[in-house]
């Protein structure tokens, strides 16, 4: 008799964005084919008694093997980045394919496929980063790429090598509207940052902690307001990435109250770090330099409220990995460097889910359903990966994380699998950790080991973003 299932997960508590229920899961050909109590014991079996059975995480903001204009290299490539993600319970990553100014966007995409090809243990899609919206890019390349499954792109309002001017932002938003894509915005006012940076450096204030002074919440608020205003002019949806706290959050909440299709993402660093972490002894504060910078405890509370009240739809890592003791120098730029030359970004792809589960779900700040929604379902929906990814349902890919809700872990860098020599969360105690991770029905992580083959992860074409409120 042919078996109905290749694998059955028995006895667990399944959580989706809409319900939490006891069920067995039957898997065949990499997909979920049955969801019911007491499925027959067939094929391979996993006993999930006492465990949570969650849709694998979708980390919609991570940077792997992304060259920077100053030549600093990211520590994780498309092997170690996705591997670390998988160990942390994530089964889909959406890193960026970044166009360099003067480069064709098609060429950039080809380049990133070469970087990624044959390396990732889990499935991946790409957001684009549009830095040079020429006539060729807007008229031909971008519309064709959207049709080919690259349906979201990030634009910047800061960094000389990345930023767009206001006119260009409007052009990109208008194209996104026409072609059914989603624009993600890094919102910080470039001139405010440059002006403050110059003043700080002239005064000799160049240590890591001044990174936070040079990038104040007002600069983020202004650019957030501008991005939302432009999206309103064009009548296009927009998603503001890595929102750090109350100032920008108020702009987003007010826009959403007016019924605008404005979406927002926040990240662990805005819940678990503050600007004080940039002020550690010596140069150690450089370990926490990311942009926007972490703020203060009031901002952390504000971000928690935004996760609770729906201002934020997406919780991503913004994993942007640089080594602290890099061969090029401490945090790449060297200890003598001004904060302005330290690459912006911190690791977090493996700790994203445990931190939010422990501090959010177990401390009663968010429900388990909301946790799943923020970390898996909403990113899949907004970036056009539903119904394949982001949920546990018949027909979906069997991307599943079996979660031990009681496991106590003290986070140390030694236990993580990224290629970075530190974690910003060293010594942080959490309860809850992924135990078994399946990608398309195949166990990839079990018993603290990777048992999935490098390169088995597939490239995913994204469909039209679901930006209905
Ligand atoms: N923006 C990101 O999205 N990641 C790292 C640094 C930055 O400025
Ligand atoms: Zn950014
Ligand atoms: Zn980022």
């Amino acid at each position: 008799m042919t078996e109905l299932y290749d694998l059955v997960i028995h006895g667990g508590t399944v959580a989706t964005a809409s319900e939490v229920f006891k069920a067995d899961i039957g898997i065949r050909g990499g997909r979920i084919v049955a969801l019911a109590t007491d499925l027959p014991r067939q094929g391979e079996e996993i006993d999930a008694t006492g465990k949570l059975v969650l849709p694998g995480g979708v980390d919609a903001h991570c940077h792997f093997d992304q060259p920077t204009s100053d030549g600093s290299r990211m520590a994780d490539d498309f092997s170690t980045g996705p591997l670390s993600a998988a160990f942390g319970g994530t089964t889909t990553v959406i890193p960026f394919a970044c166009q360099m100014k003067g480069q064709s966007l098609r060429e950039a995409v080809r380049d990133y496929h070469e970087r990624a090809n044959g390396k990732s243990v889990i499935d991946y899609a790409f957001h684009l980063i549009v830095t040079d919206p020429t006539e060729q890019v807007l008229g031909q390349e971008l519309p064709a790429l959207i049709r080919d499954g690259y349906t979201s792109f990030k634009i910047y309002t800061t960094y000389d090598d990345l930023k767009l001017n206001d006119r260009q932002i409007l052009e990109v938003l208008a194209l996104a509207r026409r072609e059914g894509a989603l624009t993600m915005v890094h919102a910080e006012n470039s001139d405010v940052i440059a002006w403050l940076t110059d003043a700080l450096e002239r005064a000799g204030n160049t240590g890591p902690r001044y990174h936070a002074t040079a990038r104040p919440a007002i600069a983020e608020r202004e650019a957030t307001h501008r991005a939302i205003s432009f999206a309103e002019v064009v009548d296009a949806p927009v998603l503001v990435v890595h929102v750090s706290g109350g100032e920008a959050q108020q702009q987003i909440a007010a826009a959403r109250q007016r019924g605008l299709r404005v979406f927002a993402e926040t990240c662990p660093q805005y819940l678990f770090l503050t600007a004080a972490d940039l002020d550690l002894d010596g140069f150690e504060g450089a370990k926490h330099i990311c942009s926007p910078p972490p703020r203060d405890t009031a901002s952390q509370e504000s971000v928690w409220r935004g996760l609770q009240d729906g201002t934020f739809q997406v919780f991503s890592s913004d994993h942007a990995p640089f080594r602290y003791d890099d061969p090029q120098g401490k945090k790449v730029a060297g200890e003598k460097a001004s904060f302005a030359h330290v690459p912006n970004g911190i690791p977090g792809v493996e700790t994203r889910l445990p931190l939010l589960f422990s501090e959010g779900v177990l401390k009663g700040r968010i429900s388990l359903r909301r946790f799943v929604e923020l970390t898996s379902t909403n990113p899949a929906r907004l970036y056009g990966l539903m119904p394949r990814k982001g949920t546990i349902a018949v027909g979906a890919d069997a991307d599943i994380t079996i979660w031990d809700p009681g496991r106590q872990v003290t986070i140390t860098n030694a236990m993580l699998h990224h290629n970075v020599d530190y974690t910003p969360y060293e010594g942080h105690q959490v309860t809850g950790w992924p135990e078994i991770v399946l990608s398309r029905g195949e166990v990839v992580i079990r018993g603290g080991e990777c048992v999935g083959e490098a390169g088995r992860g597939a490239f995913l074409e994204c469909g039209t973003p679901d930006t209905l409120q």
Side-chain angles (χ1 to χ4, degrees):
M1 190 183 93
T2 26
E3 303 217 315
L4 289 171
Y5 314 120
D6 306 326
L7 169 70
V8 179
I9 301 171
H10 285 283
T13 299
V14 177
T16 69
S18 50
E19 46 185 340
V20 178
F21 53 100
K22 289 252 181 220
D24 299 343
I25 299 177
I27 295 165
R28 192 181 165 90
R31 302 228 168 179
I32 296 169
V33 293
L35 201 50
T37 45
D38 296 324
L39 286 179
R41 301 207 162 244
Q42 277 193 344
E44 197 188 331
E45 287 182 26
I46 293 177
D47 180 6
T49 308
K51 305 292 189 296
L52 297 173
V53 181
L54 311 175
V58 177
D59 194 338
H61 188 153
C62 33
H63 304 261
F64 303 138
D65 201 4
Q66 191 178 313
T68 56
S69 64
D70 64 7
S72 49
R73 283 196 71 81
M74 286 192 167
D76 283 308
D77 63 8
F78 285 87
S79 304
T80 56
L83 179 72
S84 182
F87 270 104
T90 289
T91 51
T92 301
V93 284
I94 317 183
F96 295 89
C98 180
Q99 177 197 29
M100 288 188 276
K101 283 199 198 280
Q103 188 187 26
S104 122
L105 200 48
R106 258 295 168 206
E107 182 50 42
V109 169
R110 209 171 297 130
D111 177 31
Y112 277 85
H113 273 291
E114 264 170 40
R115 289 163 193 274
N117 204 10
K119 293 203 176 127
S120 180
V121 71
I122 52 172
D123 292 352
Y124 59 97
F126 281 116
H127 305 293
L128 307 175
I129 293 177
V130 181
T131 63
D132 203 358
T134 58
E135 254 175 54
Q136 164 82 8
V137 165
L138 292 174
Q140 288 158 41
E141 293 189 3
L142 200 41
L145 283 163
I146 292 168
R147 284 192 288 278
D148 287 350
Y150 309 86
T151 57
S152 48
F153 28 84
K154 184 177 176 188
I155 58 173
Y156 285 77
T157 59
T158 183
Y159 302 122
D160 290 343
D161 55 332
L162 300 174
K163 71 181 179 190
L164 303 188
N165 65 34
D166 290 353
R167 173 69 182 245
Q168 291 172 320
I169 295 172
L170 285 160
E171 300 282 10
V172 169
L173 284 163
L175 181 139
R177 181 185 195 277
R178 265 197 318 275
E179 303 287 341
L182 179 58
T183 308
M184 309 153 76
V185 182
H186 177 129
E188 287 183 293
N189 183 298
S190 189
D191 284 322
V192 168
I193 294 166
W195 186 78
L196 288 170
T197 300
D198 286 349
L200 286 163
E201 288 185 333
R202 270 199 309 274
N205 294 327
T206 58
R209 73 185 166 112
Y210 294 105
H211 173 78
T213 321
R215 307 183 86 101
I218 301 169
E220 187 185 357
R221 183 188 70 196
E222 185 283 326
T224 302
H225 178 83
R226 187 156 33 103
I228 291 170
S229 304
F230 291 179
E232 188 175 4
V233 167
V234 170
D235 188 23
V238 69
L239 188 145
V240 186
V241 291
H242 47 49
V243 174
S244 73
E247 299 272 350
Q249 220 176 298
Q250 279 167 14
Q251 301 300 319
I252 292 154
R256 289 178 60 78
Q257 253 165 27
R258 291 199 293 119
L260 298 179
R261 285 174 300 160
V262 172
F263 304 93
E265 168 203 81
T266 192
C267 316
Q269 48 268 42
Y270 307 118
L271 292 175
F272 302 108
L273 301 178
T274 67
D277 290 299
L278 277 75
D279 198 12
L280 298 180
D281 286 348
F283 198 62
E284 291 271 313
K287 289 181 176 174
H288 303 116
I289 287 188
C290 59
S291 288
R295 312 255 179 228
D296 55 13
T297 50
S299 298
Q300 292 177 333
E301 286 312 312
S302 177
V303 171
W304 278 116
R305 278 195 302 279
L307 290 169
Q308 288 157 351
D309 69 18
T311 304
F312 295 115
Q313 297 75 43
V314 179
F315 187 77
S316 312
S317 67
D318 194 5
H319 180 85
F322 296 96
R323 293 176 68 80
Y324 181 65
D325 259 319
D326 189 85
Q328 292 184 55
K330 284 240 158 53
K331 187 110 186 225
V332 185
E335 273 178 280
K336 301 261 178 306
S338 157
F339 66 86
H341 300 292
V342 177
N344 291 189
I346 61 174
V349 75
E350 192 166 342
T351 44
R352 172 183 76 120
L353 296 176
L355 284 168
L356 189 68
F357 181 83
S358 188
E359 293 294 323
V361 179
L362 294 188
K363 298 234 169 118
R365 291 173 165 124
I366 55 171
S367 67
L368 182 58
R369 287 186 296 113
R370 183 82 180 125
F371 171 78
V372 170
E373 186 171 56
L374 287 160
T375 57
S376 178
T377 311
N378 278 350
R381 182 180 285 146
L382 278 164
Y383 296 119
L385 290 170
M386 280 284 246
R388 258 188 92 175
K389 306 293 188 188
T391 194
I392 291 181
V394 170
D397 281 359
D399 284 13
I400 293 171
T401 294
I402 300 177
W403 191 272
D404 181 348
R407 180 158 160 215
Q408 297 189 328
V409 174
T410 301
I411 294 173
T412 62
N413 197 55
M415 61 181 286
L416 301 178
H417 301 82
H418 57 198
N419 190 33
V420 188
D421 58 349
Y422 76 96
T423 167
Y425 310 108
E426 187 76 30
H428 198 107
Q429 295 185 344
V430 293
T431 303
W433 202 264
E435 190 174 280
I436 297 177
V437 179
L438 292 100
S439 164
R440 279 181 281 106
E442 246 182 72
V443 174
V444 291
I445 304 292
R446 188 201 300 260
E449 299 288 330
C450 178
V451 293
E453 228 179 274
R456 62 164 297 291
F459 167 67
L460 303 164
E461 291 179 7
C462 295
T464 304
D466 180 355
T467 56
L468 298 176
Q469 296 270 23

